[in-house]
């Protein structure tokens, strides 16, 4: 079969090199089955992913009205308006929302990396028995309810919880000039939001990092050590640069969803400076202003296009590398 | 020169404490007698009992399970197809768009997916009178984001599978579709099952997309919890959360353990076979 | 066995291990390494001298790589000490040892260019930038890779990678270079050429090389001396000739090359001549033997290499010297330059005979073919007595 194939990457199912089918049965065996396999999920995604997005795009160019539907378009060319996008730049709440989101997402990504990297390295370097247990312990929270994990932290951060009281008294002992009183206001602060995001998305940081670190050839470490590098120099010169793809994948997997995060800021954040996800939801649910909510969504996607592209670029490069 | 990596061990201990202390504390306080959720008032299981009388919780849980079951099943079928298309068919028209479409929901912020789906469903309903917001729209939305996860799982399993096995089946006279059912699907079955389980839990867990796409009277369990949690920590929420976390957690742990044992057994069998051949 | 009888001194420049007064450069003193219950290296003592190209030869799991890794510092001995140039380095971490390693997988840093790879170890030396550059240049010249200095490892062929690994390991001018299966990843043709390059480089630099290999041909061509290892023990240390022609144990005889081994009993002992009764051969075998003589009646093994047996279709005359036995050709393998015969003796024992096809002949003109009755002869000096 390989000899007949017109191109080296011809694969099973690709039978374009065979003569044209003569009967419908032949056609079914050779082409129809694979066309079906491609077409069904393809159509589904076009219908339920692309079409909705086009509609959001269209509504973001409409004008809000009282009625059903609560949106109207201009009757003359070009039928739409950019007013909603202009509006986003005028009201503080929107661009503050974007800035809050980006800042909180960036801080969370940094701390997730700070906590996740040594954990991933520790798991990758553990014995194979331990490794399976440790990995399961990382994946376990990822499978259990996201909402309930956030809820668990709300329980700890409250002003009367043992955690808050305990932490306050420890800090008050060592830094009396800084901390006084019997509790610290933790809930409804940016601190709580960052903590919630780090906690919820930490597995997304650890897993790609682990996957990269686990594949690293340990003889490279030995080689570097043999050539005179002390353990931390080996880490700096070999482990860290070679794990860069994992760092980028993990960082993007935390940063992108964290920017659009809605649940955590709603439950733990400050009401007066919301993140953009919450702004969008409020616009949609409370104000019932579809055009502005849609414009917020489109603008958010525009903000995230660059990190999404970085992520896809590195994923594709990794896929190519592991294939070759 | 083996040295104990004390720093890494410390990082692991700290990390796992960070993961599990809040959950452990929540479970602990679910047995609190006091109505004040954060002040210990003695041991009690009364909150668990009260949950069983709470019709709202039971209805929400039942709705969530039905949605999760249907959406996981459909998403698994579609995702398996998409995974096969991407892993096996190297070239077809629109492949780049297709692979982009599959991976986009993985990174797309949920608020964007949620708002676009709900506006789409409203528009569609306005045109053809379908779908009604509620069970149907939530399920359709869940299928759409879950299918990406199934695709990734199935695709990576297929990529690591020995292609020669399929070629052998074809060489022995099976047509492509027969090969698919006789050889390919049985081999990737573990990935398909994993994909289903993942979709099921994702659906069971989803708040944001469900919040956008739900309709009147269709409150799923996460939506119920979300609305309660907004009002603060309560002992009955602790109890409900404990039940869910313990159920899902032990389910995943058992599944992981079974798979790990199967792997270990395989490894042992292989080693014994090699030893027997020597 | 001239090596045993030659007095030390005259040739000890070439063969320092014969000089009683010569100081060993590397001393491995009673080293044991256990992994849990498993003993990888079992009380090994070994002296290696400056400028040697020493090979540790053995099958997989014989402990040769563990021994090398202990020399590099990646493993710590469970017992025993390691000395390099008089300095105890048993507890020294790898990055403080004046020994460098060329890894079996080469372990080139994939994110660094050839130049950076070679220069990596020099970062830790007290050198100026210019000196560092010069050193890298000098090494790239040595392994003829200067034009590829800017490439990354994945843009190199297997042979080029091997040379980068060599240059990198030599960059710090180590007192000893440890090579783990240095030619293992190369194909056969390239291996032969690289063997000689390696010897030339070693000769030019005068660095002591310790090579780990499972390939006996590689060990024989490269090494000044070979240590044959098996199950954590050193079975024999000697020059390639000693190991091949005068193996001391059945294991070494069997492991190196191909050999016929028969059980026998010593019948009589004369000056340098031992007569051994070998029932499998159906005759008494005369063996030329020096050194410690076995006692009459002792159970021994006698061994003859296949290429040291002559095969003929006609019976040798009565005046022929050496041992003669009759048999029948059962199998014949034709390799072109030589042929392997498997000859069955009346006792049922199979003897392997290797004969060079020095004459051009077609299939019908061969020395012997299947079912031919043949005569085998071998000189008394070709037979080895193995007492262990």
């Amino acid at each position: 079969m390989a000899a007949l194939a017109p191109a080296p990457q011809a694969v099973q199912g690709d039978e374009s090199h065979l003569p044209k089918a003569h009967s419908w049965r032949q056609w079914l065996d050779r082409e129809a089955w694979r066309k079906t396999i491609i077409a069904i999920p393809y159509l589904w995604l076009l219908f339920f992913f692309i079409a909705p997005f086009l509609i959001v795009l269209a509504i973001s160019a409409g004008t809000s009205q009282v009625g059903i539907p609560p949106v109207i378009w201009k009757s003359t060319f070009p039928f739409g308006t950019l007013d909603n996008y202009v509006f986003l730049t005028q009201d503080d709440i929107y661009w503050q929302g974007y800035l809050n989101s980006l800042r909180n997402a960036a801080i969370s990504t940094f701390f997730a990396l700070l906590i996740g990297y040594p954990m991933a390295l520790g798991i990758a370097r553990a014995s194979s028995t331990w490794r399976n247990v440790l990995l399961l312990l990382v994946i376990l929270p990822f499978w259990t309810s996201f909402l309930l994990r956030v809820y668990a932290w709300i329980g700890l951060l409250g002003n009367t919880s043992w955690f808050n009281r305990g932490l306050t008294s420890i800090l008050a002992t060592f830094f009396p000039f800084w901390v006084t009183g019997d509790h610290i206001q933790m809930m409804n602060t940016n601190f709580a939001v960052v903590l919630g995001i780090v906690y919820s998305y930490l597995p997304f940081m650890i897993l790609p990092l682990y996957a990269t670190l686990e594949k690293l050839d340990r003889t490279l470490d030995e080689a570097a050590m043999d050539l005179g590098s002390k353990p931390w120099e080996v880490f700096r010169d070999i482990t860290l640069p070679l794990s860069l793809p994992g760092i980028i994948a993990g960082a993007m997997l935390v940063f992108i969803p964290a920017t659009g995060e809605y649940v955590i800021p709603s439950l733990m954040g400050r009401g007066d400076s919301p993140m953009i996800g919450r702004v969008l939801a409020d616009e949609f649910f409370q104000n019932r202003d579809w055009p502005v909510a849609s414009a917020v969504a489109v603008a958010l996607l525009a903000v995230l296009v660059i990190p999404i592209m970085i992520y896809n670029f590195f994923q594709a490069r990794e896929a190519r590398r592991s294939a070759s | 020169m083996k040295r104990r990596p004390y720093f890494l061990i410390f990082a692991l201990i700290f990390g796992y404490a960070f993961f599990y202390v809040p959950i452990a504390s929540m479970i602990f306080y679910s047995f609190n007698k006091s109505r004040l959720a954060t002040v210990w008032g003695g041991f009690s299981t009364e909150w668990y009992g009260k949950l069983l009388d709470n019709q709202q919780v039971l209805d929400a849980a039942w709705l969530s399970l039905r949605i999760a079951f249907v959406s996981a099943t459909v998403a698994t079928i579609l995702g398996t197809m998409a995974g096969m298309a991407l892993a096996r068919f190297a070239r077809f028209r629109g492949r780049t768009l297709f692979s982009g479409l599959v991976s986009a929901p993985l990174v797309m912020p949920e608020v964007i997916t949620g708002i676009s789906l709900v506006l789409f469903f409203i528009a569609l309903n306005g045109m053809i009178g379908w779908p009604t917001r509620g069970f149907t729209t939530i399920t359709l939305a869940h299928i759409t984001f879950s299918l990406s996860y199934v695709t990734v799982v199935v695709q990576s399993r297929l990529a690591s599978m020995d292609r020669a096995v399929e070629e052998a089946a074809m060489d022995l006279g099976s047509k492509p579709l027969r090969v698919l059912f006789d050889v390919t699907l049985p081999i990737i079955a573990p990935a398909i099952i994993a994909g289903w389980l993942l979709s099921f839990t994702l659906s069971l867990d989803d708040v944001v997309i469900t919040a956008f796409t739900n309709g009147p009277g269709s409150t799923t369990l996460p939506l119920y919890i979300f609305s309660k949690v907004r009002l603060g920590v309560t002992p009955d929420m602790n109890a409900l959360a404990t039940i869910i976390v313990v159920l899902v957690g032990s389910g995943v742990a058992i599944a992981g353990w079974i798979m790990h044992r199967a792997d270990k057994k395989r490894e042992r069998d292989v080693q014994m076979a090699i030893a027997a051949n020597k | 066995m001239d090596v045993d009888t030659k007095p030390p001194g005259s040739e000890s420049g070439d063969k320092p291990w014969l000089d009683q007064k010569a100081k060993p450069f590397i001393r491995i003193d009673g080293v044991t390494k256990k992994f849990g219950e498993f003993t990888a290296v079992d009380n090994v003592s070994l002296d290696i001298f400056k400028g040697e190209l020493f090979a540790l030869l053995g099958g997989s799991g014989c402990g040769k790589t563990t021994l090398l890794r202990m020399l590099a510092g990646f493993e710590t001995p469970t017992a025993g000490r390691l000395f390099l140039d008089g300095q105890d380095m048993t507890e020294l971490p790898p990055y403080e040892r004046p020994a460098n390693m060329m890894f079996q997988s080469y372990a080139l840093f994939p994110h660094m260019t050839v130049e950076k790879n070679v220069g990596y170890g020099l970062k830790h030396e007290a050198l100026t930038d210019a000196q560092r550059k010069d050193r890298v240049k000098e090494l790239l010249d040595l392994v003829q890779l200067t034009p590829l200095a800017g490439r990354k490892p994945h843009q190199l062929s297997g042979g080029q990678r091997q040379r980068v690994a060599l240059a990198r390991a030599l960059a710090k001018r180590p007192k000893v270079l440890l090579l783990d299966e240095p030619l293992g990843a190369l194909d056969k043709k390239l291996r032969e050429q690289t063997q000689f390059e390696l010897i030339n480089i070693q000769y030019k630099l005068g660095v002591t090389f310790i090579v780990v290999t499972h390939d006996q041909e590689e060990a024989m061509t490269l090494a000044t001396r070979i240590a044959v290892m098996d199950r954590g023990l050193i079975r024999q240390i000697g020059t390639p000739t000693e190991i091949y022609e005068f193996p001391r144990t059945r294991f070494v005889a069997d492991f190196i090359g191909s050999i016929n081994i028969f059980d026998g009993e010593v019948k009589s002992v004369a000056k340098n001549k031992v007569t051994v009764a070998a029932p499998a051969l159906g005759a008494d075998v005369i063996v030329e033997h020096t050194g410690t003589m076995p006692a009459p009646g002792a159970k021994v093994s006698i061994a003859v290499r296949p290429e040291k047996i002559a095969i003929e279709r006609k019976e040798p005359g009565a005046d022929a010297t050496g041992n003669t036995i009759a048999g029948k050709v059962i199998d014949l393998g034709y390799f072109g330059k030589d042929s392997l015969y498997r000859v069955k003796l009346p006792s049922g024992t199979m003897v392997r005979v290797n004969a060079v096809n020095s004459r051009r002949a077609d299939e019908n003109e061969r020395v012997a073919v299947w079912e031919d009755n043949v005569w085998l002869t071998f000189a008394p000096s070709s037979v080895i007595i193995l007492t262990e």
Side-chain angles (χ1 to χ4, degrees):
Chain A
M1 231 184 104
L4 289 170
Q9 71 264 42
V11 291
Q12 185 246 314
D14 178 9
E15 294 174 354
S16 46
H17 58 284
L18 292 179
K20 268 253 164 288
H22 292 298
S23 68
W24 75 271
R25 256 240 72 107
Q26 262 184 337
W27 176 79
L28 182 78
D29 288 340
R30 289 205 188 143
E31 289 173 47
W33 72 281
R34 67 181 276 256
K35 286 197 169 143
T36 317
I37 283 177
I38 297 170
I40 294 175
Y42 207 154
L43 288 176
W44 182 284
L45 285 169
L46 284 178
F47 197 66
F48 288 107
F49 196 77
I50 290 291
F53 189 70
L54 293 177
I55 285 187
V56 166
L57 214 54
I59 290 179
S60 75
T63 312
S64 180
Q65 66 157 0
V66 182
I68 295 171
V71 60
I72 193 165
W73 287 277
K74 281 203 282 189
S75 52
T76 55
F77 186 82
F79 306 107
T81 152
L82 290 177
D83 289 355
N84 298 309
Y85 293 96
V86 175
F87 179 62
L88 294 190
T89 62
Q90 287 164 346
D91 196 326
D92 273 7
I93 189 140
Y94 302 108
W95 64 267
Q96 277 296 351
Y98 286 112
L99 283 183
N100 277 339
S101 289
L102 290 173
R103 192 192 56 223
N104 281 348
I107 296 171
S108 307
T109 306
F110 173 76
F111 280 105
L113 185 63
L114 209 62
I115 300 172
Y117 198 102
M119 285 184 78
L121 192 61
I123 299 171
R125 299 279 160 90
S127 70
S128 65
T129 335
W130 268 104
R131 199 184 301 166
N132 283 319
V133 176
L134 293 174
L135 261 186
L136 188 68
L137 285 174
V138 172
I139 297 168
L140 210 55
F142 168 78
W143 284 73
T144 55
S145 172
F146 162 77
L147 186 59
L148 294 178
R149 283 183 289 132
V150 176
Y151 173 73
W153 264 111
I154 296 176
L156 288 192
L157 294 184
N159 288 345
T160 55
S161 80
W162 63 266
F163 178 80
N164 194 329
R165 294 285 165 103
L167 193 65
T168 308
S169 65
I170 291 170
L171 288 177
T173 313
F174 292 104
F175 308 100
F177 48 87
W178 182 40
V179 175
T180 50
D182 66 348
H183 71 269
I184 309 169
Q185 180 60 39
M186 293 188 190
M187 274 303 288
N188 305 320
T189 61
N190 268 337
F191 165 75
V193 173
V194 167
L195 182 88
I197 293 174
V198 171
Y199 184 66
S200 303
Y201 291 98
L202 194 53
F204 291 96
M205 179 63 89
I206 294 176
L207 293 176
L209 274 175
Y210 165 78
T212 314
L213 288 168
E214 188 253 351
K215 271 186 293 192
L216 290 189
D217 183 359
R218 291 303 302 278
T219 53
L220 296 181
D221 296 8
E222 289 185 346
M225 212 182 271
D226 185 63
L227 293 166
S229 292
K230 293 178 184 66
W232 77 270
E233 290 168 325
V234 175
F235 175 78
R236 184 195 62 196
D237 295 344
I238 310 298
T239 314
L240 192 62
L242 287 178
S243 63
L244 202 61
I247 294 176
I248 288 169
M252 291 302 139
L253 282 179
V254 174
F255 182 80
I256 296 166
T259 307
E261 184 51 56
Y262 164 61
V263 172
I264 296 170
S266 303
L267 295 180
M268 304 172 98
R270 283 163 60 175
D272 59 339
S273 70
M275 282 171 67
I276 198 66
R278 196 168 160 189
V279 172
L280 189 157
D282 287 348
E283 213 58 68
F284 181 77
F285 289 116
Q286 256 100 55
N287 300 347
R288 302 192 62 68
D289 190 338
W290 291 9
V292 169
S294 297
V296 170
V298 173
L300 174 59
L301 193 61
V303 168
L304 289 179
V305 154
I306 290 167
I308 289 175
M309 274 167 60
I310 293 174
Y311 176 74
N312 281 340
F313 171 77
F314 274 89
Q315 287 305 100
R317 205 177 71 171
E318 279 308 287
R320 269 206 311 282
R321 282 214 180 138
S322 58
S324 64
Chain B
M1 302 255 59
K2 294 269 148 60
R3 282 197 194 115
R4 285 205 160 269
Y6 289 110
F7 174 70
L8 294 182
I9 293 172
F10 170 78
L12 284 173
I13 292 171
F14 174 79
Y16 286 106
F18 181 56
F19 269 136
Y20 287 100
V21 164
I23 295 173
S25 168
M26 178 182 80
I27 294 174
F28 181 78
Y29 277 103
S30 75
F31 295 104
N32 189 358
K33 203 181 188 76
S34 165
R35 178 160 285 282
L36 289 165
T38 52
V39 180
W40 186 247
F43 180 83
S44 154
T45 52
E46 64 165 301
W47 304 109
Y48 288 88
K50 286 213 170 128
L51 271 185
L52 291 177
D53 297 334
N54 188 336
Q55 195 56 42
Q56 248 185 313
V57 169
L58 296 180
D59 287 346
W62 177 234
L63 179 70
S64 277
L65 285 173
R66 280 186 304 155
I67 291 171
F69 184 83
V70 176
S71 65
T73 308
V74 179
T76 304
I77 295 168
L78 293 172
T80 305
M81 287 172 144
M84 291 193 50
L86 287 174
R88 282 293 184 263
F89 309 143
R91 289 161 300 163
F92 55 84
R93 215 168 298 143
R95 189 184 195 279
T96 320
L97 175 66
F98 187 50
S99 74
L101 276 180
V102 164
S103 59
L106 296 175
V107 286
M108 186 70 86
E110 284 182 298
V111 280
I112 299 180
T113 314
I115 193 171
S116 48
L117 277 169
V118 68
L119 293 176
F120 172 70
F121 289 141
I122 292 168
L124 198 63
N125 188 293
M127 283 189 277
I128 61 170
W130 182 89
T132 330
R133 281 170 78 185
F135 182 91
T136 318
T137 48
I138 299 172
T139 308
L140 288 173
H142 285 192
I143 292 168
T144 307
F145 73 75
S146 305
L147 97 82
S148 297
Y149 288 87
V150 180
T151 306
V152 170
V153 174
V154 169
Q155 189 187 349
S156 66
R157 179 74 189 85
L158 276 170
S160 66
M161 178 184 152
D162 184 5
R163 189 73 61 78
V165 181
E166 289 173 343
E167 286 170 354
M170 247 197 281
D171 186 59
L172 294 169
S174 292
K175 287 171 180 159
L177 209 56
R178 266 252 75 80
V179 176
L180 176 66
F181 282 101
D182 289 353
V183 178
T184 316
L185 287 182
I187 290 178
I188 61 167
I192 296 176
I193 294 169
W196 189 90
L197 286 171
L198 189 58
S199 309
F200 187 82
T201 48
L202 283 170
S203 165
L204 215 51
D205 195 24
D206 180 74
V207 186
V208 179
I209 291 173
T210 315
F212 279 98
T213 53
N214 79 329
S218 58
T219 304
T220 61
L221 194 57
L223 282 186
Y224 174 81
I225 297 171
F226 187 53
S227 63
K228 285 280 172 194
V229 169
R230 287 189 128 163
L231 306 175
V233 178
T234 54
D236 56 334
M237 270 304 110
N238 281 337
L240 179 59
T242 300
I243 291 175
I244 296 173
V245 167
V246 168
L247 273 183
V248 177
S250 51
V252 172
I254 289 167
W257 184 68
I258 289 172
M259 279 203 246
H260 174 67
R261 238 183 33 159
D263 274 2
K264 270 270 144 85
K265 186 177 178 300
R266 231 181 91 85
E267 232 167 74
R268 255 205 325 275
D269 289 352
V270 169
Q271 261 161 16
M272 275 168 72
I274 291 169
N277 257 327
K278 260 187 183 164
Chain C
M1 297 200 39
D2 53 347
V3 281
D4 274 342
T5 51
K6 198 169 282 176
S10 58
E11 280 191 46
S12 62
D14 276 6
K15 297 179 173 172
W17 54 90
L18 299 176
D19 185 351
Q20 304 293 319
K21 285 174 301 214
K23 253 181 73 186
F25 192 55
I26 295 157
R27 161 156 272 173
I28 299 169
D29 188 11
V31 163
T32 298
K33 177 69 189 179
K34 288 186 180 176
F35 295 105
E37 289 294 294
F38 176 70
T39 306
V41 173
D42 193 356
N43 195 14
V44 162
S45 293
L46 188 62
D47 286 344
I48 297 169
F49 295 86
K50 200 172 175 117
E52 267 204 88
L53 208 167
F54 193 92
L56 295 166
L57 175 65
S60 66
C62 71
K64 58 188 192 303
T65 303
T66 309
L67 191 57
L68 195 75
R69 289 174 58 81
M70 284 193 281
L71 286 167
F74 299 130
E75 309 285 353
T76 321
T78 315
R81 315 293 309 168
L82 296 163
F83 298 93
L84 173 59
D85 204 6
Q87 184 199 2
D88 185 340
M89 57 168 192
T90 319
E91 307 289 339
L92 230 50
Y95 45 85
E96 284 169 17
R97 294 191 186 204
N100 284 130
M101 177 134 156
M102 196 183 121
F103 290 79
Q104 181 174 11
S105 62
Y106 309 145
L108 299 181
F109 305 129
H111 56 305
M112 297 182 194
T113 59
V114 167
E115 204 172 4
K116 288 255 169 63
N117 261 288
V118 174
Y120 183 80
L122 300 176
K123 289 206 300 186
H124 309 283
E125 307 272 284
L127 295 174
T128 65
D129 282 350
Q131 283 172 317
R132 234 167 253 155
K133 255 187 145 164
D134 284 351
R135 185 83 74 86
V136 171
K137 171 95 182 38
E138 180 190 313
L139 280 152
L140 288 176
D141 284 346
L142 180 74
V143 294
Q144 296 152 27
L145 280 175
T146 314
L148 305 180
R151 292 227 187 145
K152 292 261 182 90
H154 69 269
Q155 297 166 312
L156 301 177
S157 73
Q160 289 164 343
R161 284 182 206 184
Q162 194 257 6
R163 272 146 49 202
V164 178
L166 181 64
R168 186 179 72 179
L170 286 169
K172 286 170 70 99
R173 303 215 168 122
K175 288 182 175 170
V176 53
L177 185 71
L178 310 167
L179 302 97
D180 190 0
E181 305 276 0
L183 310 172
L186 303 179
D187 61 45
K188 206 170 174 212
K189 283 242 164 90
L190 198 56
R191 196 179 302 178
E192 205 166 273
Q193 182 199 336
T194 315
Q195 267 173 8
F196 292 110
E197 274 176 22
L198 216 53
I199 297 173
N200 285 339
I201 287 174
Q202 196 261 349
Y203 185 77
K204 217 185 278 174
L205 302 179
V207 179
T208 310
F209 275 30
I210 302 179
V211 178
V212 151
T213 177
H214 70 279
D215 183 332
Q216 36 166 307
E217 271 179 39
E218 193 174 307
M220 307 271 278
T221 28
L222 285 178
T224 49
R225 284 193 305 156
I226 298 173
V228 181
M229 289 188 73
D230 173 45
R231 276 178 268 167
L233 298 167
I234 291 188
R235 298 292 172 163
Q236 187 168 353
I237 304 172
T239 62
T241 320
E242 283 168 356
I243 298 276
Y244 188 76
E245 303 291 1
F246 306 97
R248 243 181 269 138
T249 63
R250 221 183 145 114
F251 173 83
V252 174
D254 208 24
F255 184 77
I256 307 287
S258 166
I259 202 160
N260 297 295
I261 301 182
F262 312 102
D263 292 329
E265 196 185 308
V266 176
K267 245 176 139 178
S268 63
V269 178
K271 181 177 179 293
N272 283 355
K273 284 264 196 300
V274 181
T275 309
V276 179
L281 299 179
D284 290 351
V285 177
I286 301 164
V287 184
E288 227 179 86
H289 192 68
T290 51
T292 335
M293 287 294 174
K299 299 268 183 229
V300 292
S301 299
I302 56 171
V304 199
R305 299 252 178 225
E307 76 277 9
K308 297 203 165 53
I309 305 176
I311 183 165
E312 277 174 304
R313 254 191 293 208
K314 65 176 207 287
E315 188 176 355
D319 58 331
T321 54
N323 304 293
T324 306
I325 34 175
K328 187 190 258 183
V329 176
I330 299 295
D331 284 324
L332 164 58
Y334 174 70
F335 302 131
K337 73 175 190 320
D338 56 357
S339 295
L340 180 70
Y341 302 88
R342 294 209 325 142
V343 177
K344 193 174 187 178
L345 304 185
S347 66
T349 308
M350 288 289 198
V351 179
R352 277 182 298 177
V353 180
N354 198 215
V356 176
N357 296 319
S358 52
R359 206 161 48 80
R360 197 167 158 222
D362 80 11
E363 280 157 38
N364 301 320
E365 292 176 285
R366 290 228 182 98
V367 174
V369 294
W370 290 271
E371 299 295 322
D372 273 353
N373 287 312
V374 290
W375 295 90
L376 307 178
T377 45
F378 48 93
S381 61
S382 301
V383 189
I384 309 154
I385 291 188
L386 303 166
T387 44
E388 282 174 52

